[in-house]
């Protein structure tokens, strides 16, 4: 049985997406934000990572550093940069999430392939798939949440609500910006189906419960005194660098 051209093109896009997220993964030196994950999780127990993370600024939930600490306890790699492959794996999984979301949302093969192609070749998606930071995990949770939400809007399956609660919890334990997915999916529902209070109430109650699951961790940050960061004056080089990173990952080519 011959494979259709569309299926062959989708397979090729997935293949290229995987290659792009694995090539040059160890090219750049540690970024400052990666160094904060190093401080929190490398060669530390889960309890130590939990404690250190909650002494820092309340800008990031603790899940990703805890995952790195757990991985290190299993794999015992002496090279911290090795854990970029974990981010690359999450980036590859997120490609599957984006494809299934776009297929459900657009219901049009050409639009689905166009949207999916934009993500496959996105400089930002490639870059964050190669950094030991929470960004790509948040991306995976965000699009998985949208996909599950749209499935529930159409099918009313209770199992979908359970999965929505789980992914919203995981997303909020990754970063508080996950809450934007609740807003986006709710606005989509109103735009397509109209304002139906009961269904929106059930949907957002589940999302709020997922958000509240991360609240005990967030409250612990209130005692944090230490802040990572620095500043300097911006120059024209920063503007050129910003424009370059739209098309080429920041660790390739011109750097500051």
């Amino acid at each position: 049985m011959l494979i259709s051209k569309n299926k062959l093109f989708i397979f090729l896009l997935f293949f290229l997406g995987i290659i792009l997220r694995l090539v040059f993964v160890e090219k750049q030196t540690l970024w400052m934000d990666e160094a904060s994950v190093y401080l929190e999780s490398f060669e530390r127990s889960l309890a130590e990572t939990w404690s250190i993370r909650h002494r820092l600024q309340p800008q990031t939930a603790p899940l990703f550093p805890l995952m790195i600490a757990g991985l290190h306890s299993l794999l015992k790699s002496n090279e911290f940069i090795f854990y970029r492959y974990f981010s690359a794996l999450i980036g590859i999984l997120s490609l599957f999430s984006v494809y299934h979301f776009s297929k459900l949302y657009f219901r049009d093969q050409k639009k689905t392939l166009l949207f999916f192609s934009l993500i496959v070749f996105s400089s930002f998606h490639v870059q964050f798939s190669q950094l030991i930071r929470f960004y790509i995990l948040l991306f995976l949770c965000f699009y998985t949440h949208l996909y599950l939400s749209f499935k529930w809007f159409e099918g009313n399956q209770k199992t979908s609500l359970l999965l929505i609660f789980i992914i919203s919890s995981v997303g909020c334990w990754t970063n508080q910006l996950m809450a934007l997915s609740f807003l986006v999916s709710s606005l989509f529902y109103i735009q397509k189906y109209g304002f139906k209070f009961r269904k929106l109430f059930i949907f957002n109650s589940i999302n709020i419960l997922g958000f509240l699951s991360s609240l005990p961790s967030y409250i612990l940050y209130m005692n944090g005194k230490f802040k990572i960061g620095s500043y300097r004056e911006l120059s024209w080089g920063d503007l050129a660098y910003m424009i370059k990173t739209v098309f080429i990952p920041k660790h390739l080519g011109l750097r500051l």
Side-chain angles (χ1 to χ4, degrees):
M1 181 177 175
L2 296 175
I3 301 176
S4 68
K5 290 183 179 179
N6 282 335
K7 288 183 178 179
L8 187 60
F9 186 59
I10 292 168
F11 175 81
L12 180 61
L13 284 175
F14 271 113
F15 179 75
L16 289 173
I18 292 170
I19 295 299
L20 287 173
R21 279 144 192 83
L22 292 176
V23 69
F24 303 126
V25 73
E26 297 184 16
K27 174 72 174 178
Q28 62 176 317
T29 55
L30 285 180
W31 180 35
M32 186 188 74
D33 284 6
E34 286 183 292
S36 72
V37 181
Y38 175 87
L39 168 68
E40 297 161 18
S41 59
F42 191 58
E43 296 183 340
R44 298 189 186 278
S45 66
L46 291 173
E48 289 173 328
T49 297
W50 174 270
S51 175
I52 294 172
R53 172 90 286 270
H54 287 93
R55 293 204 304 267
L56 301 179
Q57 188 182 18
Q59 58 187 4
T60 306
L63 179 59
F64 190 79
L66 289 171
M67 293 172 77
I68 296 299
L71 271 176
H72 179 70
S73 67
L74 292 174
L75 302 178
K76 303 295 185 183
S77 174
N78 293 323
E79 295 291 335
F80 178 70
I81 211 166
F82 165 81
Y83 295 98
R84 282 184 179 163
Y85 288 103
F86 175 61
S87 294
L89 175 61
I90 297 174
I92 292 168
L93 290 175
S94 73
L95 293 179
F96 288 89
S97 177
V98 166
Y99 173 73
H100 286 290
F101 157 76
S102 57
K103 188 177 179 181
L104 180 65
Y105 177 74
F106 292 112
R107 299 187 184 279
D108 179 275
Q109 188 72 13
K110 289 183 179 179
K111 292 179 181 178
T112 296
L113 291 177
L114 176 59
F115 183 78
F116 184 53
S117 298
L118 290 172
I119 299 299
V120 166
F121 296 106
S122 167
S123 168
F124 290 107
H125 193 280
V126 172
Q127 174 183 323
F128 290 124
S129 296
Q130 297 184 343
L131 295 175
I132 310 173
R133 285 291 282 167
F134 69 88
Y135 303 110
I136 198 62
L137 179 59
L138 178 65
F139 185 95
L140 171 62
C141 292
F142 192 94
Y143 276 94
T144 301
H145 181 269
L146 289 180
Y147 171 75
L148 292 172
S149 299
F150 294 172
K151 290 284 285 186
W152 185 73
F153 292 157
E154 296 184 350
N156 289 320
Q157 295 178 350
K158 292 182 179 179
T159 53
S160 294
L161 282 179
L162 175 61
L163 293 174
I164 288 170
F165 169 74
I166 293 172
I167 200 66
S168 64
S169 298
V170 172
C172 289
W173 275 88
T174 301
N175 187 272
Q176 294 79 12
L177 285 174
M178 180 65 190
L180 287 175
S181 180
F182 311 160
L183 175 63
V184 171
S185 51
S186 296
L187 290 175
F188 168 83
Y189 180 83
I190 294 171
Q191 182 270 329
K192 187 169 184 179
Y193 301 103
F195 187 86
K196 297 180 180 179
F197 178 80
R198 182 176 180 275
K199 192 154 190 174
L200 284 170
F201 178 79
I202 293 172
F203 174 68
N204 282 294
S205 295
I206 295 297
N207 286 323
I208 291 171
L209 286 174
F211 179 81
L212 290 177
S213 73
S214 67
L215 199 57
S217 168
Y218 190 79
I219 290 174
L220 291 177
Y221 286 116
M222 296 303 101
N223 294 321
K225 303 296 183 183
F226 181 66
K227 179 178 179 181
I228 292 178
S230 61
Y231 69 92
R232 61 180 175 80
E233 292 184 0
L234 299 180
S235 67
W236 288 105
D238 292 278
L239 177 61
Y241 182 71
M242 178 186 70
I243 295 172
K244 188 272 294 185
T245 56
V246 173
F247 305 99
I248 304 172
K250 71 184 185 72
H251 57 286
L252 300 178
L254 174 70
R255 64 180 66 192
L256 297 177

